[in-house]
Amino acid sequence: MAHQFTLIIALFFSQLSEVAPPSPPVTASAQRVLLKRDTPIELMATKEVNTADVKPGTIFKLRVNRPVTIDGVVVIPIGAWVFGEVLAARGSRGLGRSGTLKAKLNYLELGDTKIAVTGDVSTKGAAVTSTVILVALAGWPGFFNRGNDAKIKAGDMVSALIGEDVAFDVSGSVVTRAAP
């Protein structure tokens, strides 16, 4: 009987040595979501961009006004900045001619990450049509009557599109751009 008991114990311990070591605790694997190119973004100007103050090459920024979500997860929060560049700026001129402003949107900054965006902004100041009457009635002083500068006013809404497909890692507490 003691022999059988020893055999059972030996058999039990031999089985334990063949069992795999315990696995490490299960952690959440990287979960990715894809933000597709041409996804619309609503932006708002927080500071006026005016042809009286800017020239071609001037960089300006607009704020994301509505969050962009994928499957209920916010990947672009309200307050993220989109940067644009003034392409052409012509201030108002004599004879009541208005100013013009053309700009393009370049990228969205999300932490240390830049995401390409596309969009154009074009605006024109209001012409002063009463100048023709002023020239006719007052003569040469009417030539000095200027039109209005073109501007993107603070609070103006601007639309843009995501310019590239972007994968985001949403497995952690902070949503980050996934490595390629």
Side-chain angles (χ1 to χ4, degrees):
M1 174 95 146
H3 182 59
Q4 284 180 331
F5 182 71
T6 307
L7 186 59
I8 291 173
I9 298 264
L11 188 59
F12 175 75
F13 281 112
S14 71
Q15 292 293 324
L16 281 179
S17 64
E18 293 176 16
V19 174
S23 58
V26 177
T27 58
S29 62
Q31 182 183 359
R32 291 182 176 212
V33 294
L34 182 66
L35 178 63
K36 295 191 180 228
R37 178 187 176 135
D38 296 333
T39 299
I41 314 169
E42 182 182 293
L43 309 172
M44 182 177 72
T46 58
K47 184 179 176 188
E48 183 174 276
V49 180
N50 188 323
T51 54
D53 303 325
V54 299
K55 60 183 179 186
T58 300
I59 303 296
F60 63 95
K61 60 185 181 177
L62 304 169
R63 183 182 72 99
V64 173
N65 196 52
R66 285 203 176 147
V68 177
T69 60
I70 302 173
D71 298 332
V73 177
V74 175
V75 292
I76 300 176
I78 294 173
W81 293 108
V82 171
F83 291 82
E85 179 182 359
V86 174
L87 299 175
R90 176 184 252 176
S92 61
R93 296 163 292 175
L95 288 175
R97 292 180 289 180
S98 60
T100 57
L101 175 69
K102 291 183 183 182
K104 69 176 180 168
L105 302 175
N106 295 325
Y107 63 90
L108 179 138
E109 196 170 77
L110 198 56
D112 294 336
T113 303
K114 291 182 179 179
I115 299 170
V117 297
T118 59
D120 296 315
V121 181
S122 186
T123 184
K124 188 174 184 177
V128 180
T129 55
S130 62
T131 300
V132 175
I133 296 169
L134 188 59
V135 169
L137 295 176
W140 66 271
F143 286 105
F144 297 107
N145 192 19
R146 300 178 65 83
N148 294 311
D149 286 317
K151 58 185 89 171
I152 303 168
K153 296 177 190 169
D156 280 357
M157 304 308 268
V158 177
S159 294
L161 300 172
I162 295 295
E164 61 183 321
D165 287 345
V166 182
F168 286 94
D169 179 358
V170 296
S171 60
S173 61
V174 176
V175 176
T176 59
R177 185 173 187 168

